[in-house]
C-alpha cells in the first residue's frame, strides 16, 4: 500500500511539473490605457510576450483594419526599437467627422536595434490612435511576430461567435460607448489656466484662514490682558482694605 501511494504521489507530481513547464499560451494582445471610446482618441498598448526558450523576438508588424481606417496613428518611442508607420491610399475616400480621408495607416512595424524581446520577457508597444469609429464595437488588428531564428508567428485568426478561441488569435480592441469628452481626446484633463485659477483660489482661502486665525489670536490676547489687569487691580484693592482693617484693630 505504501509503495502504491508513493507511486501515485510521484505520478501526480510529475504531471504537475509537466503542466507548469508547458507553454503559457500567451499571445499578442492590445489594451487601451484608460478608455477607448467610440469617436475619440486613445492610447493603446500592444503587448508582445516571447513564447520561445531559445529565440528572441526581433520584429513586430501590426496591420490595421481597412473597414474602419484610422487617419491618426503615432507610436511612442520604445528603447531598443525603431517604428515605421505605413500609410496607403483608400480605394474610396471616407467622410470622418466632417473631413474627407483619402489615406489611412495600414501598418506599423517595430524592429529591434538590439537583442529584442528575450526568452522569459515581454514588451509593450504604445500607440496613440484615432479617431475611433462610431459604428463599431471593436477593432481587429492582425499581428505578425518574427524571431531571430527566422520563425514567424501570425496572430491573424479572428474569433468566431460560439467557438473556442483560435490557436493564433488576432489582437482585438474593445470600444466603449461614446462620451462628450471622448470626441476631444483625453477625459477630465485640466488646462494650465484651470490649475492657475485653482491655485489662486486655494491661496486666497489660505490667506483668509490665516488672517482669521491672526485676528482671533489678537482678540484672545486682548481679552486675557484686560482680565489680568482687572484681577491685578482687585488684588491691590483687597490688600489695601486688609491693611486698614489690621490698623484699626
Amino acid at each position: 500500500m505504501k509503495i502504491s501511494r508513493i507511486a501515485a504521489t510521484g505520478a501526480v507530481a510529475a504531471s504537475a511539473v509537466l503542466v507548469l513547464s508547458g507553454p503559457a499560451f500567451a499571445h499578442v494582445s492590445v489594451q487601451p490605457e484608460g478608455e477607448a471610446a467610440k469617436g475619440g482618441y486613445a492610447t493603446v498598448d500592444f503587448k508582445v510576450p516571447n513564447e520561445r526558450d531559445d529565440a528572441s523576438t526581433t520584429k513586430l508588424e501590426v496591420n490595421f483594419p481597412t473597414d474602419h481606417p484610422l487617419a491618426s496613428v503615432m507610436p511612442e518611442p520604445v528603447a531598443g526599437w525603431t517604428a515605421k508607420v505605413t500609410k496607403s491610399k483608400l480605394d474610396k475616400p471616407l467622410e470622418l467627422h466632417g473631413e474627407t480621408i483619402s489615406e489611412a495607416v495600414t501598418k506599423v512595424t517595430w524592429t529591434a536595434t538590439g537583442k529584442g524581446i528575450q526568452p522569459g520577457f515581454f514588451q509593450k508597444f504604445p500607440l496613440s490612435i484615432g479617431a475611433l469609429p462610431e459604428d463599431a464595437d471593436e477593432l481587429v488588428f492582425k499581428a505578425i511576430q518574427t524571431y531571430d531564428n527566422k520563425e514567424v508567428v501570425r496572430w491573424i485568426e479572428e474569433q468566431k461567435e460560439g467557438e473556442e478561441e483560435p490557436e493564433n488569435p488576432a489582437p482585438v480592441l474593445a470600444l466603449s460607448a461614446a462620451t462628450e469628452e471622448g470626441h476631444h481626446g483625453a477625459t477630465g484633463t485640466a488646462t494650465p489656466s484651470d490649475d492657475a485659477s485653482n491655485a489662486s483660489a486655494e491661496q486666497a482661502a489660505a490667506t483668509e484662514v490665516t488672517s482669521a486665525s491672526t485676528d482671533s489670536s489678537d482678540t484672545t490676547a486682548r481679552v486675557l490682558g484686560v482680565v489680568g489687569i482687572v484681577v491685578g487691580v482687585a488684588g491691590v484693592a483687597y490688600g489695601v482694605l486688609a491693611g486698614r482693617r489690621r490698623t484699626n484693630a
Side-chain angles (χ1 to χ4, degrees):
M1 292 294 292
K2 291 183 178 180
I3 294 176
S4 299
R5 290 178 181 175
I6 292 173
T9 303
V12 171
S15 299
V17 170
L18 289 175
V19 170
L20 292 175
S21 61
F25 298 105
H27 51 76
V28 176
S29 60
V30 59
Q31 291 292 333
E33 293 183 5
E35 189 177 41
K38 298 178 182 180
Y41 290 76
T43 298
V44 299
D45 294 326
F46 285 89
K47 182 179 178 181
V48 183
N50 191 324
E51 295 187 308
R52 301 294 179 262
D53 297 329
D54 56 353
S56 297
T57 296
T58 55
K59 185 178 179 180
L60 174 69
E61 179 182 307
V62 175
N63 293 279
F64 282 65
T66 55
D67 55 342
H68 295 289
L70 300 175
S72 175
V73 175
M74 293 186 294
E76 179 179 320
V78 178
W81 295 79
T82 60
K84 179 183 178 182
V85 178
T86 302
K87 288 187 176 183
S88 301
K89 287 189 176 295
L90 300 175
D91 295 334
K92 183 179 180 180
L94 299 177
E95 290 289 336
L96 295 177
H97 306 292
E99 296 183 5
T100 301
I101 305 299
S102 59
E103 66 176 12
V105 174
T106 53
K107 181 172 61 177
V108 177
T109 305
W110 288 271
T111 305
T113 58
K115 296 182 179 180
I117 309 172
Q118 300 181 64
F121 292 86
F122 74 91
Q123 178 68 55
K124 287 184 179 181
F125 298 92
L127 286 177
S128 173
I129 62 175
L132 299 174
E134 298 180 351
D135 57 348
D137 295 325
E138 63 182 24
L139 292 177
V140 179
F141 301 86
K142 296 185 177 182
I144 300 176
Q145 182 178 11
T146 302
Y147 290 87
D148 58 6
N149 61 359
K150 307 304 180 182
E151 180 185 2
V152 176
V153 181
R154 301 178 183 277
W155 305 97
I156 61 174
E157 298 177 325
E158 297 188 34
Q159 176 71 52
K160 295 182 179 179
E161 188 176 355
E163 296 185 7
E164 295 183 357
E165 184 181 56
E167 184 177 355
N168 294 318
V172 177
L173 176 66
L175 304 181
S176 58
T179 60
E180 184 64 28
E181 294 83 359
H183 292 280
H184 305 287
T187 303
T189 303
T191 62
S193 58
D194 292 336
D195 293 339
S197 299
N198 293 337
S200 298
E202 291 176 0
Q203 184 176 1
T207 302
E208 291 179 2
V209 171
T210 304
S211 178
S213 300
T214 303
D215 294 342
S216 177
S217 299
D218 292 342
T219 302
T220 302
R222 291 172 183 172
V223 171
L224 291 177
V226 172
V227 171
I229 293 173
V230 172
V231 171
V233 171
V236 172
Y238 178 79
V240 171
L241 292 175
R244 290 179 178 178
R245 289 177 181 175
R246 289 174 183 173
T247 302
N248 293 335

